[in-house]
Amino acid sequence: MSEKRRIKRTIVVQTTPEAAFEAVTQASELREWFSDEAWTIVRPDGRYDVRWNQGYRSDGRFTKLDPPRRATVTWQGSGEPGETKIKFKVKPVDEGAKVTVVHSGFGPGDKWDKAVAQSEKGWSAGLENLKSTLQTGVDLRLARQPFLGITFDVLNAERAAKEGIAAEEGIYVLGTVEESGARAAGLGQGDVIVASGGTETPGVQELGAGLRNHTAGDMVDVDLVRGQERETIQVTLGKRPQAEVPDTAEGLADLLAQQLEEVDQELKAAVEGLTDEEAEQSPAEGEWSVKQVLAHLSSGERGFHNVLVNWAVNGWLDGGAIGADAVPGRLEAVLAVTPTLQGLLERYLADEAETVALLRRLPEETVAHKARYRRIGEAVLYGPDHIREHIEQIKNTIVAVRGG
């Protein structure tokens, strides 16, 4: 390694030295502010591997450790001419913790210039985000990411077959956000985004990675599949709205309970007067009946309880969130146990109440972890909007089965 070229960045964060040290060494914490994926074994010669969805990666090893003060790792970035090293130093100060990063070992010449420029940019943005996530929980990578303006799911083979979609993978659009670029461009429920800005989008990570290359106001080409047809539309990206998450678990639970009370009244009104026979009828082949929609909401809510626990304890759900409906027969299993409309409605309302009760009992450690707690808050507060999309689906289904 050459020591002639090096990059040094320093930032003061309102946190403890222990939390700051974990943020630069622990895999789950690195993902909060730095990389998209990480694997670390925090011991001498333990691995220090980080990955980004755009394709860049680094493989390294811990060479020195003095928790919670110092750590040194090797760094072999993809496409770089050789190995470099990074020194992390954490020092207690009156304001909290002073974090210093020194990236050294760059060689001379043009081959290293790109690596130096990328490191300068990466550590400047990274430490700014480290401060943001530790102090407020806001991940600036997401907050500054342009906003497409859709609610979505990931397309699976079962849904593609049922709805006659000529795609095997992609982002399935559930709805669009009011005044968003997606709505203005004509994106709608059932569309499947297969590429954005020239980048294929088989899943959520690829969609997010593609958006990070743009800023609010940019116009991007979106390739989508509508039924059997494929077309390209242009969408103007907006600024991502930020949810207001209460500071306490009790406050978060209260807010969600209030929102659910409102949306549940809408749900009850939508099915009022509906018979069990009508609720069993599908409006068309491959489309859900009202009972199947309620079974979907219930199974999804129960699956989300496991996601919440995983987030609260581990911070992440590795492998991705698997929709309960991805298992063939899942909805039929719910209906076999709870066959009546009233039973399904009561089951789902009880599932919602359990979500609220779980929020009230979040561990203090989870709430204190700003980024982890914010991720939970944003997820649960999105729930009522998702329910309203299904209420509209229920209303349309009732009209169809009644011959309206």
Side-chain angles (χ1 to χ4, degrees), residues 1-238:
M1 295 184 190
S2 169
E3 295 290 342
K4 295 181 180 179
R5 304 173 76 178
R6 71 173 195 165
I7 295 157
K8 182 178 180 179
R9 296 289 185 270
T10 299
I11 199 164
V12 175
V13 185
Q14 294 174 11
T15 190
T16 64
E18 290 77 11
F21 187 80
E22 286 189 357
V24 298
T25 57
Q26 294 287 350
S28 61
E29 303 306 313
L30 284 164
R31 293 166 66 179
E32 298 287 7
W33 65 276
F34 189 47
S35 61
D36 292 308
E37 295 181 342
W39 298 266
T40 66
I41 301 175
V42 187
R43 60 171 173 75
D45 200 39
R47 69 188 298 195
Y48 190 93
D49 300 343
V50 285
R51 306 280 189 276
W52 283 263
N53 292 333
Q54 294 92 329
Y56 182 76
R57 59 183 286 176
S58 172
D59 299 320
R61 294 279 174 178
F62 284 98
T63 58
K64 294 180 181 179
L65 276 170
D66 181 19
R69 292 178 288 274
R70 296 180 180 84
T72 302
V73 299
T74 59
W75 184 278
Q76 179 59 69
S78 53
E80 295 175 2
E83 186 178 86
T84 54
K85 71 178 179 181
I86 297 169
K87 294 180 180 179
F88 299 106
K89 183 178 180 180
V90 179
K91 180 181 178 180
V93 294
D94 291 341
E95 299 91 336
K98 180 179 178 181
V99 180
T100 300
V101 178
V102 178
H103 194 168
S104 63
F106 301 101
D110 295 342
K111 290 184 178 180
W112 281 100
D113 288 346
K114 181 179 179 181
V116 171
Q118 183 168 315
S119 180
E120 289 176 336
K121 180 180 178 181
W123 288 117
S124 294
L127 289 190
E128 181 186 14
N129 199 31
L130 171 68
K131 182 172 184 174
S132 179
T133 54
L134 285 175
Q135 292 187 178
T136 69
V138 175
D139 186 341
L140 297 177
R141 296 171 298 179
L142 298 178
R144 293 173 177 173
Q145 183 174 300
F147 185 57
L148 188 58
I150 61 171
T151 56
F152 59 87
D153 200 351
V154 177
L155 181 68
N156 57 46
E158 184 180 6
R159 172 173 271 164
K162 281 185 176 181
E163 300 186 17
I165 299 172
E168 296 181 354
E169 56 186 10
I171 303 300
Y172 183 91
V173 178
L174 296 172
T176 56
V177 177
E178 189 175 352
E179 298 183 357
S180 67
R183 180 169 294 187
L187 272 166
Q189 196 274 336
D191 288 341
V192 177
I193 299 174
V194 294
S196 175
T199 301
E200 292 185 356
T201 55
V204 178
Q205 289 187 342
E206 292 81 4
L207 178 65
L211 289 175
R212 287 180 197 168
N213 296 323
H214 298 277
T215 58
D218 287 352
M219 182 173 288
V220 298
D221 290 335
V222 174
D223 298 332
L224 56 89
V225 173
R226 285 177 169 159
Q228 295 294 310
E229 302 297 325
R230 181 168 179 148
E231 60 181 283
T232 301
I233 63 174
Q234 289 189 318
V235 179
T236 300
L237 301 175

